[in-house]
């Protein structure tokens, strides 16, 4: 990966990118849920990336809130995938573990840490 901006090295950026990658590669069997989960995961990453370099508190909060909301959507989609048999427990567990880390990071960023 080529580093252009310093924020690309931050844990939040890396974990959000990994979450989006894993969601994309998860092999969700249901086409509608696959689309929904991957779009939500991409939104998490892109909104976190948009908020990270910005110095304006209001803009940062806006993007981190959108990222957190999209993370909730992605996690709910993953849960539904498991319940309907469109995604295995192991892959869902891997995604959920990253989502938990990412939720904590976004929460810290929203608190201004």
């Amino acid at each position: 990966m080529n580093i252009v901006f310093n924020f690309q090295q931050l844990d939040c950026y890396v974990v959000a990118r990994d979450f989006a990658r894993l969601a994309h590669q998860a092999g969700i069997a249901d086409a509608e849920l696959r689309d929904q989960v991957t779009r939500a995961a991409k939104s998490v990453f892109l909104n976190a990336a948009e908020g990270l370099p910005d110095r304006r508190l209001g803009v940062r909060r806006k993007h981190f809130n959108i990222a957190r909301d999209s993370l909730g959507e992605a996690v709910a989609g993953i849960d539904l995938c498991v319940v309907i048999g469109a995604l295995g427990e192991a892959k869902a567990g891997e995604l959920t573990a990253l989502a938990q880390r990412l939720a904590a990071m976004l929460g810290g960023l929203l608190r201004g840490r």
Side-chain angles (χ1 to χ4, degrees):
M1 176 179 90
N2 291 331
I3 302 297
V4 177
F5 297 102
N6 288 334
F7 71 85
Q8 290 176 277
Q9 298 174 32
L10 296 175
D11 287 343
C12 183
Y13 181 91
V14 173
V15 173
R17 185 185 64 211
D18 287 345
F19 181 75
R21 178 182 53 80
L22 282 176
H24 181 74
Q25 296 172 345
I28 296 171
D30 182 278
E32 288 174 310
L33 280 173
R34 181 176 53 249
D35 179 60
Q36 194 75 24
V37 169
T38 56
R39 283 188 300 112
K42 290 171 186 177
S43 175
V44 173
F45 173 67
L46 293 172
N47 275 287
E50 193 163 350
L52 285 169
D54 206 297
R55 297 184 193 275
R56 297 168 293 174
L57 183 59
V59 173
R60 287 174 63 87
R61 290 177 88 41
K62 172 189 167 192
H63 288 292
F64 297 153
N65 273 312
I66 293 170
R68 186 179 58 185
D69 292 346
S70 292
L71 184 61
E73 179 183 2
V75 168
I78 292 163
D79 283 347
L80 185 56
C81 286
V82 172
V83 169
I84 68 169
L87 183 65
E89 292 273 349
K91 187 58 75 174
E94 192 177 353
L95 282 160
T96 301
L98 276 179
Q100 288 172 328
R101 286 184 62 204
L102 192 50
M105 291 176 192
L106 290 168
L109 288 165
L110 282 164
R111 287 186 298 276
R113 294 182 186 169

